[in-house]
Amino acid sequence: MSVISYIEAISKGLWEEMERDSSVFLLGEDIGEYGGAFKVTKGFLKHFGNDRVIDTVLAESAILGAATGAALAGMKPVAEMQFADFVTNGFNQLINNSASIHYRWNLPVPMVVRLPSGAGIHGGPFHSRNPEAWFFHQPGLKLVAPATPYDAKGLIKAAVRDPNPVLYFEHKRLYRHVKGEVPDDDYVIEIGKGDIKRPGSDCSLITYGATLHPSIEAAALIEQQDGVEVEVIDLRSLAPLDKDLILSSVRKTGKVLIVHEDSVTGGIGGEIAALVAEFAFDHLDAPVKRIGAIDTPTPFAPTLEEYFLPNREKILAALKELAAY
């Protein structure tokens, strides 16, 4: 067991999968000599060679098209979008080709798309998006969003071994801000399974990605201040959702707060709220609440970005409202 950062966990998981399976290879912009924009693949080119670590042109559509073709040919590509925002340039490849081939032709498409996403690093509107909801609606794609180093390593390894496309959302702010214990041995985390990061009996807080951490802090504060026990669920996997875990928690607590960094309108939280309303309405003691970013582009200015994003104080205030209802 080692204590490593979130970014080191992603890198170790990729490294181990490339050592384990010679059909795994990487492609993306500046991932070779430069080691990637955030250095996830630093040292990979020297060790694995330029047949398995391929620097591409700046063309996301070409990267995703090549990855899809290679997957059909029996390889296991891991394609890096330098910033998740730019996946828009490859949207057609992902939606019309990668996501639907298995359904149309009954052929496996074992590919991973790594998407460095999220705000909190003052990257402004072109480098801070949380685009998971765009793909959440599309059958044929699996979506994962780890929040801890342990989950980051286990999910990247599971994604590489999956027989069909997996979008791996890795939050840039977590790269070097979060550390944790990670087994040195081989392990995977099953895609589609969430995790209770903090047990509780008075309210269910459902979250994923970067907002897990302020959610846990807010849950600890309200217990300390008001004696309210909040159960914090880390979804980890967005598609498929762990519906059983969500509903069993809601039926236990009767109150629900959904927190994600993406904007509230059209975000994944809306689907979770609908799920709770359809299958656990009789167990609710209060209206379902949601917290997300404000419905605007991400501001550059640090003070405005802080105002724009969910944070511990906003989550704590919402929990207190729920507790008092």
Side-chain angles (χ1 to χ4, degrees), residues 55-268:
D55 269 326
T56 67
V57 295
L58 302 180
E60 286 76 12
S61 182
I63 295 169
L64 294 170
T68 305
L72 283 170
M75 301 297 287
K76 294 179 180 174
V78 180
E80 178 182 309
M81 300 288 99
Q82 199 167 68
F83 289 87
D85 313 55
F86 304 138
V87 72
T88 47
N89 297 308
F91 202 80
N92 179 59
Q93 291 285 8
L94 269 180
I95 300 301
N96 284 326
N97 295 321
S98 317
S100 63
I101 285 174
H102 181 67
Y103 178 78
R104 286 187 289 157
W105 301 340
N106 197 28
L107 293 174
V109 190
M111 59 184 283
V112 179
V113 184
R114 290 184 40 235
L115 295 140
S117 57
I121 60 169
H122 317 317
F126 292 106
H127 300 84
S128 303
R129 281 198 174 103
N130 294 277
E132 60 269 21
W134 298 344
F135 303 103
F136 183 67
H137 183 68
Q138 175 59 45
L141 297 176
K142 297 184 181 76
L143 279 61
V144 298
T148 67
Y150 179 86
D151 292 341
K153 182 181 173 185
L155 281 171
I156 192 67
K157 293 167 77 71
V160 169
R161 298 180 195 187
D162 196 277
N164 278 302
V166 179
L167 307 191
Y168 182 92
F169 291 92
E170 49 194 69
H171 200 287
K172 301 190 293 291
R173 180 167 169 71
L174 301 183
Y175 277 154
R176 293 175 176 81
H177 280 84
V178 173
K179 290 187 174 182
E181 289 190 339
V182 175
D184 298 317
D185 300 333
D186 181 37
Y187 71 97
V188 296
I189 292 174
E190 182 180 354
I191 294 174
K193 294 294 182 185
D195 187 39
I196 297 174
K197 289 292 196 287
R198 179 186 172 92
S201 57
D202 298 322
C203 177
S204 299
L205 194 164
I206 302 166
T207 188
Y208 61 89
T211 46
L212 171 69
H213 302 283
S215 294
I216 290 175
E217 292 172 8
L221 279 174
I222 197 171
E223 182 174 12
Q224 181 183 0
Q225 295 172 3
D226 303 322
V228 176
E229 296 182 354
V230 177
E231 181 153 280
V232 180
I233 294 177
D234 178 8
L235 292 173
R236 302 193 296 194
S237 174
L238 308 178
L241 269 178
D242 193 343
K243 296 178 182 178
D244 290 341
L245 180 64
I246 293 169
L247 293 175
S248 65
S249 179
V250 173
R251 287 167 181 151
K252 179 175 66 176
T253 66
K255 295 183 178 180
V256 185
L257 173 63
I258 304 162
V259 182
H260 55 56
E261 187 178 295
D262 191 13
S263 300
V264 170
T265 302
I268 288 172

